[in-house]
Amino acid sequence: VSAPEPLESFFLDPDRTYLNHASYGAPTRALMAHADAIRAELERDTELALGLGLAPRLGSVADRLGRELGLTGGQMALTINATEANNALAASYDLRPGDRVVLAATEYSSVIEAWALACRRQSAHLVVVHLPLPITQDALLDRLDDALTGARLTVVSAIASSTAMRAPLAEVLKLAEDHGTEVFVDASHVLGHDEFDELGQAAAVFGTTHKWIPAPRSSGFLWLADDSHTVSPALVALSRGADSMLERFSWRGTWDPATLLALPAALDEAERWRARGLLAASCALADELASDLEQIGLIPAVDPSLVAPRMRSFVVPGADKDSLRTFLRAKRVSVPVPGDLDDTAVRFAINVYNTAADAQRLVQVLRDYIGGSRAA
Ligand SMILES: Cc1ncc(COP(=O)(O)O)c(C=O)c1O
């Protein structure tokens, strides 16, 4: 196994312990330069590059992305991020009055908001399922089973944001099928992080792609299994009537597609990391850090069967969100304290630059916080 990728390959402040690329991504210097080179190349002939020449180039990126995610067949479009893709789904979905749309409260807040609005506009019901921590697979499936009765649609994260829960996707898809409920999967934490054989069984899959590969911000995708839905961007533009979904998303008003065109190179770099053993080493470091955090009294947000490879969330008993955030910031440790959970929790994500020293720093800072030295 190679040594971790040097921090200097990234733009990160060396005076911080950075365990949170899962929020905003962490592009390498090389890939930012690559996106800049693409941007400069587009400038040579914008009439072609942003006009007729664009959709075919985006199409070949979309094909590559589909292969990486195991989403073959169907239709793939590139988006700016998961929020755009989910808004397009919600704005294009014909809900009937009285329809029920089911989401767990632990789904990403922007995703819930978009479906809440779609439901309000079409007199449908948004059903938000609350899942007390720590989440067990039985509790999750029991509550979903109740909520899905008569439901039209459910949106499920393959790996959730605040809890870092890796969904038992095969079981969720089976349950939804038994209830005749359509499933859309939020795969924002999948590319470059994990693999799900069942993704292609969902009716739609969407996500942000710059979180776990070293891609410049921002990039995302939307995949539909078949043509039973026609999805157009929520932002209405002149290509709205195009036949292919890829084309409908290729013109969103004047925009900069450079980060999307840079995706293949970011995928290549992530593949080199994998081949060097860096991803396996990151998984091992995540396991070690998780066990150290349990030893100092933190409580895993999910059962061992629902754990994601390199991202974990822990309840900090007795902690207050604001004081913990202030403490972590003062100690120059970057881990989010999610605002959408009832409990006070911290979530860490391990990337290829992280070392055992980073993990120990987080353990030490949390031990100090728990031990009462909470003054920042
Ligand atoms: C599970 C999940 N879904 C959706 C999003 C939204 O991503 P973006 O803000 O890039 O659109 C995030 C962002 O953190 C996320 O974690």
Side-chain angles (χ1 to χ4, degrees):
V1 179
S2 329
E5 182 69 17
L7 196 61
E8 298 76 53
S9 302
F10 301 80
F11 293 87
L12 296 163
D13 179 350
D15 289 335
R16 295 193 69 79
T17 301
Y18 202 76
L19 294 158
N20 186 28
H21 67 282
S23 283
Y24 306 108
T28 56
R29 290 175 187 272
L31 279 151
M32 286 281 265
H34 178 64
D36 284 345
I38 291 176
R39 202 166 279 120
E41 178 251 317
L42 295 174
E43 290 305 324
R44 289 173 59 85
D45 181 1
T46 45
E47 191 180 296
L48 178 68
L50 299 181
L52 284 180
L54 183 57
R57 285 179 79 176
L58 291 175
S60 72
V61 177
D63 289 347
R64 168 84 189 269
L65 196 56
R67 286 197 300 279
E68 297 278 347
L69 287 161
L71 296 172
T72 48
Q75 309 175 59
M76 175 76 92
L78 299 177
T79 65
I80 290 298
N81 51 34
T83 303
E84 184 194 19
N86 178 63
N87 267 273
L89 282 169
S92 304
Y93 199 84
D94 279 326
L95 288 163
R96 295 175 294 249
D99 272 351
R100 288 152 52 85
V101 176
V102 175
L103 281 93
T106 47
E107 289 304 321
Y108 195 72
S109 309
S110 310
V111 173
I112 299 178
E113 277 300 315
W115 286 100
L117 180 63
C119 286
R120 270 202 303 280
R121 284 188 168 151
Q122 297 177 93
S123 306
H125 301 298
L126 181 74
V127 179
V128 177
V129 178
H130 289 271
L131 299 165
L133 305 188
I135 302 175
T136 65
Q137 178 157 331
D138 284 350
L140 170 73
L141 295 176
D142 276 357
R143 285 177 192 231
L144 273 185
D145 194 12
D146 286 344
L148 291 183
T149 305
R152 176 95 186 276
L153 168 72
T154 184
V155 185
V156 180
S157 286
I159 296 175
S161 179
S162 300
T163 58
M165 181 182 81
R166 183 188 200 278
L169 210 50
E171 286 81 356
V172 171
L173 285 159
K174 171 80 178 59
L175 197 59
E177 191 186 355
D178 291 347
H179 284 285
T181 307
E182 201 161 40
V183 181
F184 292 172
V185 174
D186 177 348
S188 294
H189 290 286
V190 173
L191 190 73
H193 181 200
D194 204 350
E195 284 176 18
F196 288 81
D197 295 338
E198 318 81 9
L199 269 190
Q201 293 169 32
V205 182
F206 64 93
T208 285
T209 47
H210 59 251
K211 288 177 184 291
W212 291 86
I213 62 170
R217 210 171 290 113
S218 62
S219 59
F221 72 97
L222 169 59
W223 176 84
L224 297 181
D226 55 37
D227 50 15
S228 58
H229 296 292
T230 302
V231 179
S232 300
L235 214 57
V236 177
L238 58 85
S239 55
R240 191 171 180 80
D243 284 341
S244 94
M245 184 165 77
L246 180 96
E247 265 181 60
R248 293 198 288 279
F249 280 84
S250 298
W251 188 252
R252 38 169 63 78
T254 307
W255 68 302
D256 178 1
T259 54
L260 288 170
L261 296 172
L263 265 180
L267 287 164
D268 290 345
E269 179 66 355
E271 175 51 31
R272 284 190 287 274
W273 286 350
R274 195 196 58 73
R276 283 164 57 198
L278 297 183
L279 304 187
S282 296
C283 290
L285 185 56
D287 285 340
E288 279 164 36
L289 176 52
S291 111
D292 289 350
L293 292 179
E294 274 193 71
Q295 273 183 16
I296 63 164
L298 271 60
I299 302 164
V302 300
D303 243 20
S305 65
L306 303 176
V307 154
R310 294 194 272 142
M311 179 164 80
R312 310 287 170 88
S313 189
F314 287 83
V315 175
V316 188
D320 156 81
K321 285 180 190 160
D322 285 341
S323 84
L324 181 54
R325 281 188 194 119
T326 307
F327 193 77
L328 288 164
R329 179 130 282 274
K331 300 295 178 188
R332 299 193 305 279
V333 173
S334 290
V335 282
V337 174
D340 61 337
L341 298 178
D342 292 339
D343 300 272
T344 299
V346 287
R347 183 193 76 188
F348 72 74
I350 301 289
N351 207 339
V352 293
Y353 44 74
N354 287 126
T355 61
D358 296 334
Q360 282 321 302
R361 174 80 183 142
L362 177 64
V363 175
Q364 185 58 50
V365 165
L366 288 171
R367 190 190 278 130
D368 290 349
Y369 177 86
I370 294 166
S373 47
R374 297 187 178 192

